[in-house]
Amino acid sequence: MSFEILTYAFMHRALIAGSAIAILCSVMGLFLVLRRYSLFGDALAHSSFGGIALGLFAGIYPLWTAYGVSIISALLITKIKEKYNISGDASIAVLLSSGIAVGLVIISFSGGFSLDIFSFLFGSILLVSVEDTVGIVALTGVILMIILLLYRQILYSTFNERQAKVSGVPVDKINYLIIILAGVTVVTAVQLVGVLLISALFVIPNVTAIMYGRGFKQTMFISMTIAVSSVIAGILISYVFDITPAGTIVLFAIGVLAVTMGIKSAGLLSKN
Amino acid sequence: MLNAVEISNLTVKYPDLTALDGVSFTIKQGDFLGIIGPNGAGKSTLFDSMLGLNTNYTGTIKFFDEDIKKSKTYRKEIGYVPQKPEFENNFPATVSEVVRMGLRKKSDDKKVDEILQQLWIHELRNRRIGELSGGQLQRVFIAKALVNDPKILILDEPSTGVDQQSIDLFFSILKELNSKQGITIIWSSHDLDAVNKLANHVACLNRTLFFHGKSETFFSDDKLVKQYSEASMQEHMHHH
Ligand SMILES: Nc1ncnc2c1ncn2[C@@H]1O[C@H](COP(=O)(O)OP(=O)(O)OP(=O)(O)O)[C@@H](O)[C@H]1O
Ligand SMILES: [Mg+2]
């Protein structure tokens, strides 16, 4: 093994885009995990699969249709959940399976699986273009800015909706905002780890970070660090051993979680 | 003195029952009102309506002479301590982060520190919220409610399940807030003795308003107290 891999331009793009996506997913994921919405990312990813299939079928750039479908289904599921009082996990299950079902039907119309579909299912971080990389970094910046500007409102309504409402936080609007941002994040992240492993990036670094962190900002920072390290390590390791980056990234993050659990059960970490 | 709160003919109906029926009373600025009533009397329902969490009511609720259905600005003047401070047990937030959530203005660290000192939780400021005892947690939530300098503090029977020492500290804090800082306090409780000791006004609620007035008047009238206790007792039997 040599450091020559660090000189390839495609590797630079992969590491930059991957790190941006890692930061974005860990931040959005922390709010989702604490809102007991851990699988929401997964459900959105599956519905975006339907969107990707639709784009490929209609000859539109598949990420655009994926963004559209992801945001629409996120809003739809929230409305349905409110209106018919369906529990969170059941509504996620409905969303998850409808996305895949729609995707599969469209794909069979268009004559079976193509290579493109596979790259969305399993990720294709080594193939990101310069434009993609710029787009991903810009989007990450915009979403982080929004979160920073509305930090107190988002945190408070995640902590306790009723109390936030009494304090004048527009909780309903904030909830919709979180859901839309999650929808955008998921589709962006599909390029890195693919539809099938999205929720790993949302959930695993945060579950780990919550065991270490005391405060919220600290936890968020730890989670970002774990996510970025996992992405960088995963990309490099997978390249050296010629294995799939998506799987390696997620396994690395799971490794960090396992070590944390080990440390915790050995009693080396204060129990939080 | 100015009315802090004016409630007229407040009625709240849930599908199966009427939780509040034609309740009317006023609270003057500077009052310390204890609201007593058995389980299911409608205390939390009353608070939810006052706080804008339940808008399904008939009658009117006014804060500082303004109907809350027309103007939401009154919320700035209210601090609310919920009956159950519900949050995820492993929520990663420190005491000072939770108190800061209540802050409407830009991060005002001096104010947060001041409140933490006042409520004897300054040493706990970097502890995770889920690690605290019931009494400590209660004071954190009072701190969060006070951090905006509210004119009115609304507490929904927050003293349940807390040890005696914390209860005493809690009572002395309430007393001080009311007498020294002039904060109007509206506090629901099951504890008749505590209400007798602390509050200067009492409202007895049991779906309808059973009594409202000075606490001396209520507690010096054995017949009233007995009547109230019997009504509560009956309600209690009903539930079992
Ligand atoms: N969302 C709701 N839907 C239907 N009924 C409700 C709802 N909330 C409260 N109730 C009913 O309204 C009545 C009043 O409840 P409320 O919680 O206001 O009583 P409370 O005085 O606060 O009781 P406690 O002392 O136990 O806290 C109860 O019979 C309760 O079951
Ligand atoms: Mg109650």
Side-chain angles (χ1 to χ4, degrees):
Chain A
M1 177 186 168
S2 74
F3 289 102
E4 144 193 339
I5 54 170
L6 292 174
T7 63
Y8 299 139
F10 73 87
M11 191 52 87
H12 294 162
R13 291 197 296 272
L15 292 176
I16 291 169
S19 301
I21 288 173
I23 290 171
L24 197 53
C25 286
S26 66
V27 172
M28 286 311 301
L30 183 54
F31 290 113
L32 293 183
V33 166
L34 292 172
R35 286 166 178 249
R36 289 188 172 274
Y37 250 48
S38 289
L39 285 174
F40 193 62
D42 214 24
L44 287 180
H46 284 73
S47 76
S48 74
F49 174 76
I52 288 163
L54 188 68
L56 290 174
F57 180 65
I60 305 168
Y61 183 52
L63 277 183
W64 294 132
T65 45
Y67 278 120
V69 169
S70 173
I71 291 170
I72 289 169
S73 41
L75 293 175
L76 202 66
I77 208 68
T78 314
K79 266 266 174 284
I80 290 175
K81 188 174 154 242
E82 271 169 17
K83 186 149 182 211
Y84 299 99
N85 200 13
I86 301 171
S87 69
D89 60 341
S91 60
I92 282 169
V94 172
L95 179 59
L96 200 140
S97 43
S98 353
I100 289 286
V102 169
L104 289 178
V105 168
I106 294 175
I107 287 165
S108 59
F109 265 125
S110 56
F113 283 93
S114 65
L115 191 67
D116 289 343
I117 279 287
F118 276 103
S119 77
F120 284 112
L121 275 179
F122 301 109
S124 54
I125 192 67
L126 296 179
L127 302 178
V128 289
S129 64
V130 175
E131 293 80 24
D132 287 341
T133 307
V134 172
I136 287 169
V137 171
L139 199 66
T140 302
V142 169
I143 293 182
L144 291 183
M145 277 299 284
I146 295 174
I147 290 174
L148 202 66
L149 283 173
L150 296 170
Y151 176 75
R152 185 188 77 97
Q153 280 93 327
I154 298 176
L155 176 60
Y156 202 175
S157 53
T158 304
F159 183 71
N160 187 307
E161 283 197 8
R162 279 168 53 89
Q163 289 171 44
K165 223 177 237 177
V166 173
S167 295
V169 175
V171 172
D172 295 330
K173 283 185 198 147
I174 294 286
N175 287 347
Y176 276 112
L177 178 75
I178 287 284
I179 276 157
I180 290 171
L181 293 184
V184 172
T185 302
V186 162
V187 178
T188 311
V190 159
Q191 301 173 63
L192 176 62
V193 290
V195 166
L196 296 176
L197 288 174
I198 281 282
S199 69
L201 223 47
F202 271 74
V203 176
I204 296 168
N206 285 310
V207 172
T208 313
I210 287 171
M211 289 193 217
Y212 286 108
R214 292 193 160 278
F216 191 80
K217 281 185 185 145
Q218 195 187 25
T219 304
M220 196 182 249
F221 184 75
I222 294 171
S223 167
M224 281 184 198
T225 310
I226 295 171
V228 171
S229 321
S230 304
V231 166
I232 292 177
I235 290 176
L236 296 179
I237 293 171
S238 68
Y239 186 78
V240 172
F241 293 100
D242 194 21
I243 46 182
T244 157
T248 315
I249 289 168
V250 173
L251 280 179
F252 191 92
I254 290 172
V256 177
L257 174 63
V259 169
T260 305
M261 285 172 162
I263 293 173
K264 196 167 173 167
S265 45
L268 296 174
L269 219 65
S270 71
K271 84 173 171 37
N272 286 317
Chain B
M1 222 197 255
L2 195 64
N3 281 340
V5 186
E6 187 182 339
I7 291 172
S8 17
N9 211 11
L10 179 67
T11 299
V12 179
K13 290 194 166 95
Y14 290 122
D16 310 326
L17 61 103
T18 303
L20 292 173
D21 193 358
V23 171
S24 307
F25 61 95
T26 55
I27 305 167
K28 295 242 186 301
Q29 268 191 56
D31 276 4
F32 190 143
L33 174 70
I35 298 183
I36 53 179
N39 290 121
K43 301 180 295 295
S44 297
T45 303
L46 172 67
F47 286 168
D48 284 358
S49 310
M50 290 166 69
L51 296 164
L53 293 170
N54 165 42
T55 49
N56 251 330
Y57 63 80
T58 57
T60 51
I61 302 174
K62 287 182 183 171
F63 274 80
F64 308 108
D65 292 330
E66 273 200 88
D67 190 331
I68 63 168
K69 284 215 163 141
K70 298 198 181 100
S71 163
K72 298 266 174 280
T73 50
Y74 77 104
R75 280 182 171 170
K76 280 208 285 282
E77 311 294 350
I78 293 183
Y80 166 56
V81 182
Q83 183 165 9
K84 289 167 277 180
E86 280 164 343
F87 59 91
E88 284 291 319
N89 187 45
N90 67 348
F91 199 99
T94 61
V95 166
S96 67
E97 280 178 322
V98 170
V99 173
R100 194 168 282 123
M101 283 181 206
L103 207 58
R104 280 164 182 270
K105 287 154 278 174
K106 271 261 169 266
S107 171
D108 187 349
D109 290 319
K110 236 179 80 192
K111 183 71 205 172
V112 172
D113 269 352
E114 217 177 277
I115 291 286
L116 290 173
Q117 304 267 15
Q118 194 189 352
L119 294 190
W120 302 92
I121 46 177
H122 197 256
E123 312 85 87
L124 302 174
R125 67 190 178 283
N126 292 324
R127 289 270 293 277
R128 207 196 249 220
I129 185 83
E131 293 173 350
L132 303 184
S133 75
Q136 294 168 334
L137 204 57
Q138 184 183 72
R139 275 176 278 142
V140 172
F141 278 82
I142 297 174
K144 180 161 75 60
L146 287 174
V147 78
N148 283 310
D149 292 321
K151 291 204 178 95
I152 303 176
L153 184 62
I154 297 179
L155 306 103
D156 197 354
E157 46 189 330
S159 61
T160 30
V162 171
D163 61 285
Q164 193 54 47
Q165 205 185 341
S166 304
I167 293 176
D168 291 342
L169 178 56
F170 165 64
F171 287 166
S172 71
I173 288 167
L174 286 193
K175 191 108 206 159
E176 193 180 298
L177 288 170
N178 179 249
S179 57
K180 294 225 178 87
Q181 289 174 241
I183 296 177
T184 307
I185 294 184
I186 306 170
W187 167 49
S188 85
S189 175
H190 285 130
D191 188 343
L192 243 62
D193 288 335
V195 171
N196 189 8
K197 260 191 274 171
L198 287 171
N200 51 28
H201 285 76
V202 177
C204 297
L205 195 67
N206 198 354
R207 246 162 263 184
T208 56
L209 193 65
F210 181 88
F211 172 88
H212 173 245
K214 287 229 154 68
S215 54
E216 298 105 81
T217 319
F218 180 77
F219 287 105
S220 61
D221 189 335
D222 288 342
K223 236 169 72 196
L224 257 179
V225 176
K226 193 159 165 267
Q227 231 176 336
Y228 166 77
S229 310
E230 274 164 7
S232 309
M233 217 40 164
Q234 252 172 20
E235 189 60 31
H236 206 67
M237 309 287 264
H238 238 64
H239 277 287
H240 290 277

